[in-house]
């Protein structure tokens, strides 16, 4: 009987000890969480920005971060909110955010890479295959201009532009603009203003463009006098000449 009483006593004491230990752990966890949740406990004091930038500046990124995180506790900071604010900056394509305790945020930022202008107010990024809308008054690279009646056709138009430019590489012609209209007709604008109407389909457009490059030099026409070349024919093409200027009419 004595041994049983001792065993039972040890068992009860063990349970009490475990309960006390659990209580201390829970209490300690609550105290730590309470401490970490205080706004002045672990404020964000530093921002580390990683990335290679041409049109962005680290100051711009730091300013956005400071506006969102000023006075914030790093432990309770919602990085999703900061990410959303950073992605509102048009030149930021992607951003990853890490917390480095006790007071530093690490931002890994990828800048959009401009590949072509899009319609009248956008730029196409071939890497992310997307359009973004920066302040165009502060950007002036000599890029080809692409366009379509719907923005979700941007990737198709870009891929077609790349194919057409490859066809024209060793020719005397240079494309500065490609547009896809609402009947899916491709039209190229050359650097002298002449328009090449290719019609529908990238593959057919390539073949028609090749035919133009092979044949136009034998037409006896000066491309600078031509307003448009309609290539939507199985054989040959139609040409529209530019209207004569007033000076030419007088001569």
């Amino acid at each position: 009987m004595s041994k049983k009483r001792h065993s039972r006593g040890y068992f009860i004491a063990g349970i009490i000890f475990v309960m006390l230990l659990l209580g201390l752990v829970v209490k300690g966890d609550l105290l730590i969480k309470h401490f970490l949740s205080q706004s002045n406990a672990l404020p964000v004091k530093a921002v580390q920005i990683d990335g290679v930038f041409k049109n962005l500046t680290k100051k711009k990124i730091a300013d956005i971060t400071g506006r969102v995180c000023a006075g914030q506790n790093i432990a309770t900071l919602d990085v999703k909110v900061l990410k959303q604010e950073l992605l509102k900056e048009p030149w930021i394509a992607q951003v990853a955010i890490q917390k480095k305790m006790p007071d530093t945020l690490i931002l890994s930022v990828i800048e959009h890479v401009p590949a072509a202008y899009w319609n009248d107010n956008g730029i196409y990024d071939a890497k992310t295959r997307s359009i973004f809308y920066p302040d165009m008054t502060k950007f002036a690279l000599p890029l080809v201009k692409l366009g379509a009646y719907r923005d979700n056709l941007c990737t198709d138009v870009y891929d077609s532009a790349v194919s057409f430019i490859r066809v024209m590489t060793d020719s005397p012609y240079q494309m500065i603009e490609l547009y896809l209209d609402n009947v899916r007709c491709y039209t190229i604008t050359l650097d002298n203003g002449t328009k090449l109407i290719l019609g529908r389909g990238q593959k057919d457009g390539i073949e028609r463009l090749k035919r133009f490059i092979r044949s136009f030099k034998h037409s006896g026409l000066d491309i600078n006098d031509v307003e448009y070349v309609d290539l939507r024919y199985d054989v040959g093409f139609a040409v529209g000449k530019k209207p004569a200027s007033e000076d030419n009419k007088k001569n």
Side-chain angles (χ1 to χ4, degrees), residues 166-186:
R166 285 173 180 166
V167 171
M168 301 171 75
T169 297
D170 295 324
S171 77
Y173 312 110
Q174 182 179 352
M175 181 177 80
I176 62 169
E177 184 174 339
L178 177 66
Y179 189 79
L180 181 65
D181 65 23
N182 59 357
V183 294
R184 297 296 184 98
C185 174
Y186 280 112

Side-chain angles (χ1 to χ4, degrees), residues 1-16:
M1 292 293 292
S2 177
K3 288 183 178 180
K4 287 184 178 180
R5 288 196 188 98
H6 282 300
S7 297
R8 187 178 298 173
Y10 289 144
F11 178 72
I12 293 172
I15 291 175
I16 293 172

Side-chain angles (χ1 to χ4, degrees), residues 101-120:
M101 303 302 281
D103 59 9
T104 302
L105 290 176
I106 301 175
L107 310 182
S108 298
V109 180
I110 297 176
E111 183 183 84
H112 275 297
V113 179
Y117 292 105
W118 180 258
N119 284 330
D120 295 322

Side-chain angles (χ1 to χ4, degrees), residues 123-186:
I123 297 177
Y124 181 75
D125 182 341
K127 187 173 182 179
T128 61
R129 300 174 80 81
S130 63
I131 305 164
F132 62 104
Y133 299 92
D135 181 356
M136 301 297 283
T137 63
K138 298 180 180 179
F139 184 78
L141 282 181
L143 303 176
V144 66
K145 181 180 179 181
L146 308 179
Y149 66 101
R150 288 206 318 259
D151 285 350
N152 62 354
L153 296 169
C154 60
T155 299
D156 291 339
V157 176
Y158 178 79
D159 291 343
S160 295
V162 171
S163 298
F164 297 156
I165 289 171
R166 285 173 180 166
V167 171
M168 301 171 75
T169 297
D170 295 324
S171 77
Y173 312 110
Q174 182 179 352
M175 181 177 80
I176 62 169
E177 184 174 339
L178 177 66
Y179 189 79
L180 181 65
D181 65 23
N182 59 357
V183 294
R184 297 296 184 98
C185 174
Y186 280 112

